Amino acid sequence: AQLDVPTRRLLEVVALSGEPIERSVARTAAALGEQMRLPIATLRSEHLIRMREIGGDECIEPYHDRIRQAVLRGVSSQDAARLHRQLAVALEQSGQAAPERIATHLAGAGAFERAAELMLVAARSATEALAFDHAASLLRQVLELRDRQSGSRAHDRRELLCELADALVEAGKGAEAADVYISAARGANEDTAFELKRRAADQLLMAGHMERGREVLAALLSNVGLRLPTSHW
């Protein structure tokens, strides 16, 4: 509370970043221009921040997580949204930030549509890199962001759910994938719903969830006039 305005603003940017932030990005986001040296010296001498080198960049982070929490408690929701917006702009201008990092701050600023677009780019890049767990995590965030938009279409949501389920399959999480396939089947046309539930049954059986898999499979067979055998033979 005793810090001058530029120094306090820098500390708020560092705290809101949620991860070590490059010195140049922090300077842009805090709108400090060339007046960076004194605020950093003050914050370091008060043990509010620390510096470390990551990937060749000089980065800033709160000295301790409790400091970060204390700072964030003092930031109003309106100021937080403004600073998140400035962080997103600064990260985009740097040309080096990962899309999901920018998307996180866009979401914090309330720009859910743009955040979802960038998060989806990141998710598909993770899929191409065979990082399926990470891709699934990012796709869940895309779905959450889309749910916060008005006018989001059921068809688009179904496609995202299918992408998420496919990523979970590749990550070896068949039972989770089955639940997502079943969610995607809700409201779909008959053929699409049948195929999605077939995939769900397939994943449940392969994951060893035999009883649930048989239940889903029995319902599908009933739709085409067949039934599961009652005996092992």
Side-chain angles (χ1 to χ4, degrees), residues 13-220:
V13 163
V14 171
L16 270 170
S17 175
E19 59 185 327
I21 181 173
E22 297 84 350
R23 182 181 177 129
S24 58
V25 173
R27 181 180 63 216
T28 302
L32 288 178
E34 298 303 317
Q35 304 171 5
M36 186 78 166
R37 185 171 298 175
L38 183 57
I40 283 185
T42 300
L43 293 174
R44 291 185 75 178
S45 67
E46 296 292 342
H47 294 97
L48 294 173
I49 64 167
R50 57 184 174 184
M51 314 289 292
R52 62 184 175 121
E53 189 172 312
I54 301 176
D57 290 315
E58 189 179 24
C59 295
I60 314 171
E61 63 183 347
Y63 196 84
H64 192 281
D65 193 55
R66 288 186 181 179
I67 291 171
R68 183 185 67 82
Q69 293 169 7
V71 172
L72 293 181
R73 281 197 297 270
V75 179
S76 69
S77 56
Q78 185 176 355
D79 285 343
R82 175 179 54 81
L83 290 171
H84 274 303
R85 190 176 299 109
Q86 289 171 201
L87 273 163
V89 170
L91 286 166
E92 281 196 287
Q93 288 178 354
S94 75
Q96 298 176 342
E100 63 261 41
R101 193 175 168 198
I102 300 169
T104 298
H105 293 296
L106 286 170
F112 302 123
E113 184 174 357
R114 177 64 177 148
E117 289 173 2
L118 284 177
M119 202 69 81
L120 185 56
V121 169
R124 288 173 177 168
S125 295
T127 298
E128 289 176 6
L130 308 182
F132 298 113
D133 270 321
H134 186 46
S137 174
L138 292 171
L139 285 165
R140 289 190 193 279
Q141 293 180 64
V142 174
L143 285 161
E144 289 173 7
L145 289 166
R146 289 282 177 88
D147 286 344
R148 299 175 76 173
Q149 298 174 42
S150 57
S152 57
R153 294 181 297 176
H155 175 72
D156 292 339
R157 179 176 174 76
R158 187 171 299 111
E159 286 190 351
L160 284 171
L161 285 169
C162 289
E163 280 193 58
L164 171 57
D166 291 345
L168 289 167
V169 169
E170 296 293 348
K173 298 179 177 178
E176 286 184 50
D179 289 335
V180 178
Y181 281 132
I182 289 170
S183 294
R186 296 189 187 107
N189 63 52
E190 188 176 348
D191 288 345
T192 300
F194 188 93
E195 172 58 19
L196 291 172
K197 288 177 181 177
R198 185 200 64 74
R199 293 187 202 175
D202 189 36
Q203 289 303 314
L204 286 167
L205 293 170
M206 286 200 293
H209 293 251
M210 306 304 291
E211 187 173 342
R212 280 192 65 207
R214 284 173 62 86
E215 286 175 7
V216 177
L217 195 57
L220 291 174

